[in-house]
Amino acid sequence: MKLKYLLFSTPFVLLCIVLLISIFGLKTEMSWSLADNVSDQLSLALRAELNKEKEDALRFAIVLSENSDLSNALAEEEDDFAHMKLKHIISTINKHVDKTIRAQIITPEYLIFARSWDEDNTYAGMPLEVYRSDLDEVKKYKKPRVSIEVGRRLGIKATVPVYKENKLLGFIEVLRFFDESTSFFHKLGIDLYVLLDDNYYNTAVFMQNNPSVAQYIVANRSMNMVNLKLLQRSDFKKLRQERVLHEEKKYIFYEPMHNGQAEIIGAFVFVLSQKSLERFSRSSDNLSFLLAFSRNDLYAIVKKEEYENRVYISVYDKALLSLKDTVPHEDRELFIEGAKEVLSSYTKEELIAMMLHYKISRRIKGKIK
């Protein structure tokens, strides 16, 4: 009887084991499929957030470059007045706008002229040439530039050259440090780590005491220390190759960081708990707007970005024209002259494309017949 029971139960036990293995394998496969999907959406969301930070930085830098007090101070080498004026403007912006920005003025010789975050203008005259080879491109092409760059800190830098009668007076620059992007993902329950390759250790002197992860220096000004320890235990070589790791019931996502020359200078790394990933897969909570995007949506958005940017000869032209409704009355005439000069270099078809890109709201008078 016992033998018969064992013979009967053995196939049943084996079947249960096979089923359990299959269910576990299927569940694992589904988890990785979801993780791959989330990886694509995080990449898309990161791109959108960084573009927002870049556009904001460039917009503020252009407005500052049009300020006559600052340009006159540069022309007359009145660095103390420029420092006072710049501090006042940036303080007002940070007070009334939900953003924190820093700005600095640089001479044509790449010396610090004034900084908004200095209490006294003690850093005036400090050379930046060793740290800021990216300024060469701004000087060469005489056009604004916005990109992720390594200076004494890693950050988004929007640089606008200031000219008077074709003479370069200097550069006005707005700096951002990924605070908004970090906050955006944190609200979704995702930790974002901004990592700089330690090949730039000697350049990024203000980051030399920051925590490190593998061969990276952590650039974040705020971070989750528990997940930082997790990253320090993780295999980054494998992470770079596979883009996604599953470690200690958490998912780690990798996205390379490029500077303005398209060189890889670091990485953006996301940490998301397994519970959060599973919750997102079952509900419309938090990441639903990301998961709603398909690969086709991603392709469409990339193509849209390419089309919109292709209309403009430079990113400066796009940013300048976007400021048309924010220019103060006293600077209106100067802005119109600059806009006319910009628009004269475009064809009729390109001007139509620009007009169609904006939402036009006009009140139509008359009767429909």
Side-chain angles (χ1 to χ4, degrees), residues 224-236:
N224 182 323
M225 296 304 296
V226 173
N227 285 334
L228 176 65
K229 297 294 184 183
L230 170 64
L231 293 181
Q232 291 172 335
R233 294 190 295 269
S234 300
D235 184 346
F236 263 73

Side-chain angles (χ1 to χ4, degrees), residues 318-353:
K318 181 178 179 181
L320 178 66
L321 296 176
S322 72
L323 292 170
K324 61 185 185 301
D325 297 324
T326 64
V327 178
H329 180 73
E330 59 270 19
D331 296 328
R332 197 76 182 168
E333 186 175 345
L334 181 63
F335 175 83
I336 291 173
E337 289 179 7
K340 283 181 179 178
E341 184 178 346
V342 166
L343 294 173
S344 65
S345 59
Y346 288 88
T347 65
K348 178 181 177 181
E349 289 74 18
E350 289 170 336
L351 292 173
I352 291 172

Side-chain angles (χ1 to χ4, degrees), residues 140 159 181 203 250 271:
K140 179 180 178 180
T159 311
S181 297
T203 302
K250 293 184 180 180
V271 180

Side-chain angles (χ1 to χ4, degrees), residues 146-162:
V146 58
S147 58
I148 297 172
E149 297 295 342
V150 184
R152 287 185 287 184
R153 284 188 62 179
L154 174 70
I156 294 171
K157 296 179 173 65
T159 311
V160 179
V162 181

Side-chain angles (χ1 to χ4, degrees), residues 5-232:
Y5 175 77
L6 287 171
L7 289 174
F8 176 77
S9 61
T10 300
F12 178 75
V13 171
L14 289 174
L15 179 62
C16 289
I17 293 173
V18 169
L19 286 173
L20 287 173
I21 292 173
S22 300
I23 291 170
F24 178 78
L26 181 61
K27 184 177 180 181
T28 301
E29 185 177 341
M30 289 177 64
S31 294
W32 278 112
S33 176
L34 178 61
D36 286 339
N37 188 24
V38 171
S39 177
D40 288 340
Q41 313 318 319
L42 287 175
S43 177
L44 174 61
L46 176 66
R47 181 186 305 181
E49 285 303 304
L50 291 177
N51 281 343
K52 273 196 244 177
E53 289 210 53
K54 288 179 180 179
E55 288 176 4
D56 282 347
L58 182 59
R59 192 172 290 115
F60 285 123
I62 290 173
V63 169
L64 290 172
S65 72
E66 297 292 333
N67 185 284
S68 57
D69 287 338
L70 296 178
S71 58
N72 289 337
L74 260 173
E76 297 168 15
E77 299 183 357
E78 295 180 352
D79 56 337
D80 287 336
F81 174 78
H83 174 251
M84 178 192 69
K85 187 69 178 179
L86 188 63
K87 276 194 71 173
H88 174 72
I89 294 172
I90 298 304
S91 175
T92 302
I93 291 173
N94 289 336
K95 181 178 179 180
H96 297 287
V97 179
D98 188 23
K99 300 178 188 299
T100 301
I101 66 170
R102 290 182 172 188
Q104 64 183 6
I105 304 174
I106 303 170
T107 71
E109 297 77 31
Y110 303 172
L111 304 175
I112 294 174
F113 190 71
R115 280 180 164 173
S116 67
W117 66 93
D118 288 342
E119 285 301 319
D120 302 313
N121 206 21
T122 53
Y123 284 91
M126 178 179 287
L128 294 176
E129 188 173 6
V130 177
Y131 311 101
R132 299 298 308 279
S133 59
D134 55 291
L135 291 172
D136 294 337
E137 185 175 328
V138 182
K139 181 182 284 189
K140 179 180 178 180
Y141 294 106
K142 300 182 179 181
K143 292 287 187 180
R145 169 190 172 94
V146 58
S147 58
I148 297 172
E149 297 295 342
V150 184
R152 287 185 287 184
R153 284 188 62 179
L154 174 70
I156 294 171
K157 296 179 173 65
T159 311
V160 179
V162 181
Y163 286 89
K164 185 175 183 179
E165 297 177 357
N166 292 322
K167 179 185 177 182
L168 178 64
L169 299 179
F171 310 90
I172 289 184
E173 191 166 70
V174 167
L175 301 91
R176 309 292 298 278
F177 298 108
F178 311 104
D179 296 318
E180 286 187 30
S181 297
T182 303
S183 176
F184 169 79
F185 286 104
H186 180 72
K187 290 174 183 176
L188 299 172
I190 303 168
D191 287 323
L192 170 64
Y193 293 84
V194 183
L195 307 178
L196 175 67
D197 194 302
D198 63 9
N199 287 326
Y200 298 94
Y201 178 86
N202 291 331
T203 302
V205 293
F206 288 163
M207 295 172 53
Q208 290 177 350
N209 293 325
N210 288 16
S212 62
V213 171
Q215 75 274 27
Y216 299 101
I217 306 167
V218 182
N220 295 65
R221 296 198 282 187
S222 61
M223 69 192 81
N224 182 323
M225 296 304 296
V226 173
N227 285 334
L228 176 65
K229 297 294 184 183
L230 170 64
L231 293 181
Q232 291 172 335

